[in-house]
Amino acid sequence: MSVASICLGAFSAAALLLAMVSSENAQSVAAAGADRLPAVTISPPEARPRNWAKPPRNHQAARNSSAVQPSAPVLQPVGGGVTSGSATAGPAYLQPTAASAMTISGTELNARPFSRVGEALEVVPGLIVTQHSGEGKANQYFLRGFNLDHGTDLAISVDGMPVNMPSHGHGQGYADINFLIPELVQSVTVRKGPYFADQGDFASAGSVAINYINGLPKNIAELTFGSFGYRRALAAGSTTVGAGTLLAAFEGVRNDGPWDVPDNVRKLNGVLRYSQGTATDGFTLSAMAYSNGWNSTDQVAQRAIDQGVIGRFGTLDPTDGGVSSRFSLSSEWAQSSEYGQSKVNAYVINSSLRLYNNFTYFLDDPANGDQFSQMDRRTVYGLNASHAFDVRVGGIETQTRIGLQTRGDDIRVGLFKTLQREMLSTVREDSVREGNVGLWADTTARWTDWLRTTVGIREDYFAGRVLSDTPQNSGNAQASMASPKAGFVLGPWYRTEFYGNAGYGLHSNDIRGATITVDPIDKVTPQDRVPLLVRSRGGEIGIRSKAIEGLTSSLAVFVLNFDSELLFVGDAGTTEPSRPSRRVGVEWTNQYQMLPWMRLDFDVAYTRARFTDVDPAGNFIPGAPAWVASGGVTFGGEAGWFGTLRGRYFGPRPLIEDDSIRSQSALIFNARAGYKFGNGLRLQLDVLNLFNAKTNQIEYYYLSRLPGEPIGGVADRHVHPAEPLAVRLTLAGGF
């Protein structure tokens, strides 16, 4: 199928949906809505005068003018700093968007209690973040009916630097967010589905872009003490240096957890940043450093707990664990002029990981056990550049964005058999060089006061080489894909907008799978190669409304198809390509500013996830959740009492393809209460797993073998329990 036919098909689908909606509402609603538009909450900083002809030379003055009124108001959800649209520069109403897209403030993120830093990302509606191992390892992510393992198909970035790692030792797209310091988060931009031209690899289910602040209104110091040996210290501050601002932050964490073998987490984390100007006219230079070491209580066989071999928080291999580090240097530069808005982001990252896991115990090696070590050391180089310019064509306002994204990974990756962290043998060890280039462009046009459209295209090229210790598995691989996108926005009418989006996307497979020819263990058994790139296709229709004062509500219905699913492999601790799949689902998100000092929120999502080919094993996708939901109440102001109560529901999942074995559900509540004193002190108490729910963070079903069991092993659930009720007390000061 040609790129032109794909674009035509996507645009035709969008046009058909547009016709269906507009034919019923265009005349009556447009007339009725004309006198209601002033009541809509808008975004004045990026707004443009109605008699706009071309951008003024003084862009910053235009952005700071509160008197400017937009010619096409854009709905902005209120409460908690949640807004719709994109984080990129330019008029908000000329940014590509969708019903499920939003930007969430750091204030909203930090108002939530969470047991581990990765759970801070549960501020994203519909996203579940869990853990099946020690606290230094990347989390497990679930979104839109995906078990995303450690990050595949959810593109996460921090200050423009990608977190996902291709061809990683512990799974494709491995995304370790443990280096995040939540107090430094300025905003979290959420976009779901393959509808956005500036998003490429790993972004088919969605993308989460985290941006740090450049300065603090007050220097802060925090000390936290909690259950199970939890201790955390944070110091952060900023000061004026020359024409800019210097920001520094340091974090140290120790934690044992409730496990029989203490986690013994030892985390050090730091950020140093210098910035000048603004996000649209200025630059930043940032350095980050992170180091962690820990023990792991991995998922354990349920039968070992039932038979009393271990307790609920016990382990079957007390030597599991790992060490990890990450160092980065990045810079962002932006400039506005009469020719448009330019941005450049460059980065270099050095990361390393050494894991020791034993998921099957004595299945493969009855004498020494099945512990294995995964090693990944890499240096990542990257550059993102974009330019946006506004043009009036035949009386129609348009904004066009063009961009270039490049990335290169120089990787040393290996898999080894170990016993109590001592090397026994090498399964395989590879030197990998992998790179990609993405070219993209999109144009958003405002045709009328009630119609905006976006069309875009993206071309990705991937190439790399593998030098393996098994020469037959060495080789080169390359592939490219074009991904068209389209979307529209109707409204606002009665403070309500309608959205439609469609697009093609992709995810990359581990390049070692694209060059493999023989089993690395016996060096003889032939192995099938997998494609380097896999196609995804998705669509979404939705609505966002503020018809009720104080309430922002959005509803999105989506479909997402993959040519090949990536599934978790329990005995290897990684993922492998599998069958084609389809997900159809609905998401409902609500925020209600009940009182100036009280906010309610609730979101629920349902997804039907199935393989689309025919297989006697069944068509259910293991690990794919159908129902997820979360909600809470948050209260407080600048001083005095504050707090929150939150609940999160993680529905049951099929564990095998015929759905005959399912996981249990998990409903966990967290709470916070505190007081802000007038002198800048803050006292805060977090209660995690408030009702001490005895449920599991994660569940798998596969073969394993305990001592004395049959050589062929026993198929069983393997679970990682949720931590019991825990309290954490924080004393913080601002000065």
Side-chain angles (χ1 to χ4, degrees), residues 542-575:
I543 182 174
R544 180 182 292 120
S545 179
K546 286 188 58 185
I548 299 174
E549 188 64 34
L551 173 66
T552 299
S553 185
S554 64
L555 183 71
V557 179
F558 66 89
V559 60
L560 184 58
N561 295 334
F562 266 98
D563 286 350
S564 175
E565 186 79 13
L566 282 178
L567 289 183
F568 178 80
V569 183
D571 59 356
T574 185
T575 55

Side-chain angles (χ1 to χ4, degrees), residues 226-573:
S227 305
F228 311 118
Y230 183 88
R231 288 156 287 173
R232 179 178 186 252
L234 170 69
S238 59
T239 186
T240 299
V241 176
T245 301
L246 181 66
L247 169 73
F250 176 80
E251 173 194 41
V253 177
R254 293 294 301 268
N255 187 24
D256 288 334
W259 317 107
D260 293 351
V261 175
D263 265 0
N264 193 23
V265 171
R266 309 170 302 281
K267 179 167 81 168
L268 297 175
N269 200 7
V271 174
L272 189 65
R273 161 174 286 185
Y274 182 75
S275 61
Q276 284 188 10
T278 68
T280 55
D281 287 278
F283 76 91
T284 65
L285 180 63
S286 304
M288 301 183 188
Y290 160 81
S291 177
N292 201 350
W294 66 96
N295 299 323
S296 293
T297 296
D298 288 331
Q299 70 261 20
V300 296
Q302 182 66 52
R303 64 186 184 279
I305 299 174
D306 296 341
Q307 296 169 9
V309 176
I310 58 172
R312 178 170 172 77
F313 300 105
T315 180
L316 291 167
D317 192 333
T319 63
D320 287 350
V323 292
S324 179
S325 66
R326 180 189 184 276
F327 303 92
S328 67
L329 183 65
S330 64
S331 180
E332 293 182 285
W333 172 86
Q335 185 178 62
S336 297
S337 71
E338 61 183 310
Y339 303 106
Q341 170 74 53
S342 298
K343 287 189 175 183
V344 178
N345 160 239
Y347 57 85
V348 58
I349 305 167
N350 181 271
S351 71
S352 68
L353 175 70
R354 171 75 74 166
L355 284 176
Y356 299 91
N357 292 308
N358 188 347
F359 298 140
T360 54
Y361 322 123
F362 293 91
L363 180 65
D364 297 327
D365 189 339
N368 297 309
D370 297 349
Q371 188 184 74
F372 59 93
S373 175
Q374 293 162 312
M375 177 268 290
D376 188 282
R377 300 192 185 103
R378 70 177 63 209
T379 302
V380 184
Y381 309 90
L383 174 73
N384 302 318
S386 66
H387 183 73
F389 56 93
D390 305 319
V391 178
R392 180 182 287 272
V393 180
I396 299 170
E397 296 177 31
T398 68
Q399 181 180 97
T400 295
R401 305 186 305 164
I402 57 175
L404 166 69
Q405 297 171 343
T406 66
R407 170 177 176 168
D409 289 65
D410 191 350
I411 314 165
R412 189 72 181 176
V413 59
L415 176 64
F416 313 92
K417 287 190 64 64
T418 56
L419 173 62
Q420 298 179 0
R421 301 198 185 191
E422 295 296 328
M423 186 77 67
L424 294 178
S425 62
T426 299
V427 177
R428 70 175 296 174
E429 190 170 4
D430 304 280
S431 176
V432 177
R433 289 191 175 181
E434 183 174 2
N436 64 78
V437 177
L439 295 170
W440 62 272
D442 61 28
T443 296
T444 301
R446 187 179 76 88
W447 301 90
T448 70
D449 286 344
W450 51 268
L451 171 62
R452 305 187 302 279
T453 62
T454 298
V455 291
I457 186 72
R458 181 183 181 91
E459 178 75 23
D460 286 286
Y461 174 76
F462 288 70
R465 72 173 190 186
V466 177
L467 294 178
S468 178
D469 59 353
T470 302
Q472 301 96 307
N473 290 332
S474 298
N476 300 320
Q478 61 182 19
S480 63
M481 273 191 178
S483 303
K485 327 277 185 175
F488 66 82
V489 183
L490 295 171
W493 298 304
Y494 299 105
R495 308 177 72 183
T496 301
E497 287 182 332
F498 300 87
Y499 302 81
N501 302 86
Y504 284 66
L506 59 88
H507 73 223
S508 63
N509 282 326
D510 191 315
I511 194 171
R512 291 172 295 173
T515 63
I516 194 170
T517 60
V518 298
D519 188 321
I521 297 177
D522 63 20
K523 319 296 184 185
V524 175
T525 305
Q527 296 288 304
D528 293 330
R529 292 182 173 181
V530 300
L532 184 57
L533 299 180
V534 175
R535 169 65 76 197
S536 64
R537 299 171 294 278
E540 177 181 309
I541 58 173
I543 182 174
R544 180 182 292 120
S545 179
K546 286 188 58 185
I548 299 174
E549 188 64 34
L551 173 66
T552 299
S553 185
S554 64
L555 183 71
V557 179
F558 66 89
V559 60
L560 184 58
N561 295 334
F562 266 98
D563 286 350
S564 175
E565 186 79 13
L566 282 178
L567 289 183
F568 178 80
V569 183
D571 59 356

Side-chain angles (χ1 to χ4, degrees), residues 111-243:
R112 299 172 174 232
F114 40 81
S115 62
R116 53 181 56 87
V117 66
E119 289 179 3
L121 298 190
E122 288 189 350
V123 72
V124 176
L127 178 62
I128 299 291
V129 181
T130 68
Q131 183 57 275
H132 77 100
S133 188
E135 292 303 322
K137 192 176 179 180
N139 296 102
Q140 298 281 130
Y141 304 96
F142 296 81
L143 180 69
R144 288 199 161 183
F146 282 89
N147 176 357
L148 295 163
D149 192 43
H150 293 293
T152 304
D153 296 315
L154 177 65
I156 303 175
S157 64
V158 175
D159 279 341
M161 294 182 289
V163 179
N164 304 76
M165 298 295 173
S167 304
H168 191 271
H170 192 64
Q172 180 70 352
Y174 186 86
D176 182 0
I177 201 69
N178 282 296
F179 68 90
L180 182 74
I181 300 179
E183 290 83 355
L184 299 186
V185 174
Q186 180 184 52
S187 63
V188 179
T189 300
V190 181
R191 291 181 289 177
K192 301 175 185 177
Y195 323 130
F196 303 95
D198 58 348
Q199 297 297 310
D201 198 11
F202 306 123
S204 291
S207 65
V208 177
I210 302 167
N211 290 303
Y212 273 1
I213 56 177
N214 289 337
L216 289 162
K218 290 184 177 181
N219 300 330
I220 58 175
E222 293 186 7
L223 287 174
T224 302
F225 298 90
S227 305
F228 311 118
Y230 183 88
R231 288 156 287 173
R232 179 178 186 252
L234 170 69
S238 59
T239 186
T240 299
V241 176

